[in-house]
Amino acid sequence: MAVSTKLAPFGTTIFSEMTRLAIQHGAVNLAQGFPDFDGPEIAKKAGIDAINAGHSQYARMLGVPLLNKAIGDAWTRRTGFHVDPDTHITVTSGCTEAIAATLLGLLSPGDEAVIFEPFYDSYRACVALAGATARYVTLRPDKGNGFGFDEAELRAAFTDKTRMVLLNTPHNPTGKVFTAAELSLIAELCVKHNALVMCDEVYEHLTYDPTLPHISIATLPGMAGRTVTLGSVGKSYNLTGWKVGWAIAWPELTAGVRAAHQFLTFATATPMQHGAAAIINNGEETISKTRAMFIANRDKLAEALSEIGFHVFRSDGTYFLMVDHTPVSRGLGLGGDVDDQVFCRWLTEHAKVAAIPPSVFYNTPANGRSFARFAFCKKPDTIDEAIRRLRKLTR
């Protein structure tokens, strides 16, 4: 085989596969998490102005100074903690590159990384590329109709080889926002075992329950010096194609991130960094409007999915609704034990609506076979059309 043995087990990403099927069958694409509308004018104008001003050459490896400062100022406004733009912040080509740079730069062969499943699919692949071993803690449906983890299972995942915990909050694909109590437990175990945390916070502004705010684990006692916090303009500002992300960490950890970043992409597109700085500095209205639209989309889609027969789990953040498709699969005659991949392919072909089969986000796929994930980060008209098509299932 031509593919490296480190990467061969992971195949082609499910996002590419389901988007291809959606195009093939003319389906409404609620599978891949990207908006079907344009990003904010402030960012676009600043990017165009940067091009016209001649900002077309390599940026600094750590990021354009204007953007590093904007990221640092935004962090301070949200958390109350100060970071130095040049020693704590590294601009990357999207959060996906920040993930790779963090794991390749800070993990070594023989290390172990604790991962909550379901997980963003690049986590597991990057841990493998680093030569480390993943240990999994499963998020399961809880009494609050959301997802939670078992404390004993988390404690058991830590060993004397644990180097890092991979945390994503707000969480893709479940829509979970980790609570203060959950984060405190993770922090306690990291301090006890001298472990680091990579915290993926790309959905930091997209939370929907005022009683369940997003908390950065780096702000908890003992965690500032052991956390790499990742972010991006892609999700909160509807600019997923710009691929501008970042990693915030103390200099000792930043050194590891940059050691890998310099050999992955070295620098991120210069004009896009200028545009990203503009929207971070002036993005409150964009975030407010986006959050309001997504709450309306979520509620409308959740109500329709529930009426159709899906069991819909609560989504307190992100772009996504997780459902149990089993009642619908059974009602359609597909069988009560049909897995998520069969169901999502059937849905794309016959209902003309694409969703993601989440079992690919589990180390043990059977843990996700009864679920499907729908993205609501679309225009209201798109959500309405998807609902119209899905309602045909009940008829």
Side-chain angles (χ1 to χ4, degrees):
M1 291 183 62
V3 178
S4 161
T5 55
K6 289 183 178 179
L7 291 175
F10 306 112
T12 302
T13 174
I14 193 64
F15 304 112
S16 296
E17 184 178 349
M18 293 310 300
T19 293
R20 177 185 61 79
L21 284 174
I23 294 170
Q24 177 184 337
H25 294 290
V28 176
N29 189 354
L30 302 188
Q32 193 166 2
F34 63 85
D36 60 349
F37 52 89
D38 206 357
E41 289 297 322
I42 294 173
K44 293 191 295 181
K45 183 179 184 303
I48 292 168
D49 288 347
I51 292 171
N52 290 333
H55 296 296
S56 300
Q57 308 308 323
Y58 292 126
R60 292 189 309 174
M61 185 265 284
L62 63 150
V64 168
L66 188 70
L67 177 55
N68 288 63
K69 184 178 186 305
I71 295 167
D73 289 347
W75 174 262
T76 300
R77 286 194 302 271
R78 186 170 69 77
T79 68
F81 286 70
H82 172 75
V83 291
D84 180 79
D86 289 342
T87 61
H88 291 79
I89 298 170
T90 305
V91 175
T92 60
S93 297
C95 189
T96 300
E97 195 234 322
I99 293 164
T102 300
L103 298 183
L104 292 173
L106 294 172
L107 291 179
S108 299
D111 287 341
E112 292 182 353
V114 176
I115 304 178
F116 290 93
E117 62 169 4
F119 43 74
Y120 180 56
D121 60 354
S122 80
Y123 294 176
R124 184 170 58 167
C126 289
V127 168
L129 286 172
T133 301
R135 293 175 64 86
Y136 299 95
V137 176
T138 305
L139 297 173
R140 294 183 173 87
D142 60 22
K143 294 179 181 178
N145 198 39
F147 285 80
F149 60 87
D150 180 75
E151 179 177 338
E153 186 178 348
L154 176 63
R155 289 185 180 277
F158 280 78
T159 73
D160 58 1
K161 295 181 180 179
T162 301
R163 168 68 169 168
M164 186 180 292
V165 175
L166 277 56
L167 178 64
N168 172 211
T169 182
H171 184 264
N172 171 18
T174 65
K176 172 183 176 61
V177 177
F178 279 71
T179 66
E182 290 171 328
L183 294 173
S184 294
L185 173 61
I186 295 167
E188 171 201 320
L189 291 170
C190 287
V191 171
K192 177 181 178 180
H193 293 273
N194 194 28
L196 306 176
V197 173
M198 182 199 81
C199 192
D200 176 351
E201 300 186 359
V202 292
Y203 298 99
E204 61 179 320
H205 296 297
L206 298 179
T207 59
Y208 311 124
D209 183 349
T211 67
L212 192 57
H214 167 62
I215 300 170
S216 291
I217 196 169
T219 65
L220 299 187
M223 295 306 295
R226 62 177 72 249
T227 303
V228 183
T229 304
L230 310 185
S232 167
V233 298
K235 307 300 185 182
S236 294
Y237 301 105
N238 308 311
L239 295 166
T240 61
W242 281 37
K243 299 300 289 181
V244 178
W246 54 81
I248 304 173
W250 277 14
E252 294 82 359
L253 301 182
T254 292
V257 174
R258 291 179 182 176
H261 167 64
Q262 66 185 337
F263 297 121
L264 290 171
T265 62
F266 180 78
T268 296
T270 304
M272 300 296 98
Q273 292 195 50
H274 285 265
I279 192 58
I280 291 172
N281 285 330
N282 302 279
E284 289 186 10
E285 183 179 359
T286 295
I287 290 171
S288 179
K289 289 181 177 178
T290 298
R291 188 185 292 117
M293 182 174 72
F294 287 174
I295 288 173
N297 285 353
R298 177 201 62 176
D299 293 347
K300 185 191 304 182
L301 182 59
E303 181 180 5
L305 291 171
S306 182
E307 290 175 355
I308 289 165
F310 293 97
H311 178 86
V312 182
F313 296 97
R314 63 182 292 169
S315 173
D316 294 311
T318 75
Y319 280 175
F320 308 113
L321 277 174
M322 282 275 274
V323 305
D324 185 334
H325 67 79
T326 307
V328 175
S329 298
R330 188 177 293 118
L332 290 169
L334 301 178
D337 195 40
V338 66
D339 70 23
D340 58 322
Q341 302 225 21
V342 171
F343 174 75
C344 288
R345 285 172 174 79
W346 186 97
L347 197 71
T348 303
E349 180 178 355
H350 297 280
K352 308 299 183 185
V353 176
I356 283 286
S359 62
V360 297
F361 305 141
Y362 290 81
N363 182 58
T364 305
N367 289 335
R369 64 180 286 121
S370 65
F371 301 135
R373 190 198 78 175
F374 291 89
F376 53 79
C377 52
K378 311 293 180 179
K379 293 181 292 190
D381 289 349
T382 303
I383 299 297
D384 290 341
E385 176 59 20
I387 290 171
R388 186 188 68 80
R389 297 183 184 194
L390 288 168
R391 286 196 188 282
K392 291 182 179 179
L393 293 176
T394 61
R395 294 197 290 269

